[in-house]
Amino acid sequence: MTVLRPHAEDQYAEELALLAKDDDRPRPPGWKLSPWAVTTYIMGDGDRITPKYVGARRIVEVAVATLATDRALLLLGVPGTAKTWLSEHLAAAVSGDSTLLVQGTAGTAEEAVRYGWNYARLLAEGPSFEALTPSPVMRAMAEGRVARVEELTRMPSDVQDALITVLSEKTLPIPELNREVQAERGFNVIATANDRDRGVNELSSALRRRFNTVVLPVPATAEEEVDIVSRRVAELGRSLQLPETATGLEEIRRVVTVFRELRAGVTEDGRTKVKSPSGTLSSAEAISVLTNGIALAAHFGDGVLRSSDVAAGIVGAVVQEPVSDRLVWREYLETVVRERSDWRDFYRACREVS
């Protein structure tokens, strides 16, 4: 493929076709796969199906079971817990289309959830269904597919509430035409929200009741997070067609360890308390740091990922606030990293860029 980032249904088309071929279990109306096959696609089967999400299988089973009912799904968690990644793959497996997406921002208008107008046609022909511009949610309703709403709590409250009728009545009224669009079987909504956005645009109790909430946790252990980061770094390297680089597991472990310790406010052995910076230091940021390091090693180094290749990325991820975060980082560097005898090269590299 020549596109930089293929949609999930395109990138994993062979796996989806393989599952559909062998899937003889009951499928909800409008679904491309059975709930069991959707879960297998997400979690992998240890053989032909690669895992898309590394975590508790029960979390995915609850999410898939929710989509098989008339309840919408809200994936909630701190940044970097794969909410967007999981929502994309769920939509791809359930309805074969992950592109019906509303990106929530402070400037998202109600038309992004309901519908807009082609004003040239509206002025020329007057109000008609043909002059209407459907939103991704409206298209999902008409086609019986899954719509995705990213960063729900970033959207203004009045735009959020436009979803209430859609989720409760499965109907989208069009008062200008005295008609409505009713949802076909297979329609549902997957929304994501960030734990750290509490207080930005809180969900109303009426809207929250329309969702089943599934909380995505941060990786429970360092080994689990190293596995997640290693997989995604390898996938991104192939997607970006970066030159082959000897990616040492040691450097991945170091980056993950640094992020976990600063995130938790204590070292892995529990002996030393450290201050936490203002950033989230999620797995997604660790992946970004390592991918950038691979590019440095491939294009400006000797083709082996080393401490000097990841040091600048780590400093950039940790130091979000120029004053307070820099103090946190220097203290961690001198009191924790410096004392680890097998981290001498890492300490020197970080000191040079700090």
Side-chain angles (χ1 to χ4, degrees):
M1 294 184 180
T2 58
V3 296
L4 186 59
R5 188 189 182 282
H7 297 302
E9 59 271 21
D10 298 325
Q11 186 173 358
Y12 296 96
E14 290 184 7
E15 292 186 14
L16 290 167
L18 188 64
L19 282 166
K21 179 182 177 182
D22 298 334
D23 187 14
D24 58 358
R25 296 174 183 247
R27 304 182 188 183
W31 282 40
K32 301 294 185 182
L33 298 171
S34 68
W36 177 87
V38 171
T39 304
T40 301
Y41 167 75
I42 299 294
M43 301 301 298
D45 65 355
D47 184 17
R48 298 175 296 179
I49 309 300
T50 58
K52 318 303 180 302
Y53 175 77
V54 178
R57 184 181 181 89
R58 195 60 175 173
I59 290 176
V60 177
E61 290 175 344
V62 171
V64 174
T66 295
L67 294 174
T69 70
D70 65 345
R71 300 276 289 181
L73 173 64
L74 175 62
L75 300 176
L76 185 66
V78 298
T81 47
K83 300 183 296 295
T84 298
W85 180 254
L86 183 56
S87 75
E88 178 184 357
H89 283 282
L90 284 170
V94 169
S95 59
D97 186 357
S98 64
T99 65
L100 298 174
L101 171 68
V102 177
Q103 181 61 58
T105 68
T108 301
E110 192 173 338
E111 287 80 3
V113 174
R114 298 178 73 241
Y115 53 86
W117 296 96
N118 180 333
Y119 286 102
R121 272 191 100 156
L122 185 65
L123 292 172
E125 304 172 6
S128 67
F129 197 77
E130 290 70 27
L132 186 144
T133 304
S135 69
V137 175
M138 184 175 178
R139 286 181 53 203
M141 294 177 70
E143 298 169 12
R145 298 182 184 273
V146 173
R148 299 165 54 212
V149 181
E150 292 294 318
E151 303 290 356
L152 181 59
T153 50
R154 286 282 172 186
M155 295 163 54
S157 299
D158 58 329
V159 180
Q160 293 177 14
D161 288 343
L163 284 169
I164 292 178
T165 302
V166 170
L167 297 181
S168 59
E169 305 297 330
K170 303 296 185 289
T171 297
L172 181 58
I174 310 174
E176 297 91 337
L177 303 178
N178 194 29
R179 61 181 293 183
E180 63 185 12
V181 172
Q182 290 185 299
E184 295 289 324
R185 292 185 180 275
F187 166 73
N188 214 325
V189 173
I190 304 174
T192 66
N194 189 333
D195 265 357
R196 294 207 170 192
D197 281 346
R198 286 177 180 168
V200 178
N201 289 307
E202 292 279 6
L203 299 184
S204 66
S205 58
L207 183 56
R208 188 176 286 275
R209 286 196 303 270
R210 270 68 181 183
F211 285 100
N212 274 356
T213 301
V214 172
V215 179
L216 299 185
V218 295
T221 65
E223 288 302 319
E224 188 176 295
E225 189 161 3
V226 167
D227 184 30
I228 293 170
V229 172
S230 299
R231 289 175 185 272
R232 286 295 295 139
V233 167
E235 289 175 2
L236 278 174
R238 289 192 296 269
S239 174
L240 297 172
Q241 296 185 350
L242 292 175
E244 288 292 332
T245 302
T247 307
L249 193 60
E250 181 183 5
E251 296 304 331
I252 295 178
R253 288 186 186 280
R254 282 176 177 172
V255 173
V256 169
T257 299
V258 169
F259 278 29
R260 288 181 68 86
E261 289 181 337
L262 288 172
R263 206 163 59 207
V266 65
T267 55
E268 281 193 322
D269 58 14
R271 295 179 180 178
T272 307
K273 290 187 176 180
V274 298
K275 295 176 182 176
S276 296
S278 59
T280 58
L281 300 182
S282 64
S283 301
E285 289 165 295
I287 292 165
S288 177
V289 167
L290 287 158
T291 304
N292 187 67
I294 289 173
L296 282 171
H299 295 298
F300 303 102
D302 59 1
V304 178
L305 183 67
R306 303 186 186 279
S307 297
S308 56
D309 299 315
V310 299
I314 286 184
V315 175
V318 174
V319 182
Q320 300 289 319
E321 294 289 340
V323 179
S324 59
D325 287 350
R326 192 170 293 280
L327 292 174
V328 169
W329 173 242
R330 284 178 178 171
E331 182 177 318
Y332 175 79
L333 204 58
E334 298 300 328
T335 60
V336 177
V337 176
R338 185 180 182 183
E339 300 302 316
R340 292 172 173 164
S341 58
D342 55 339
W343 283 35
R344 296 281 173 81
D345 56 335
F346 182 78
Y347 171 74
R348 288 193 296 270
C350 290
R351 276 294 301 266
E352 286 179 9
V353 298
S354 296

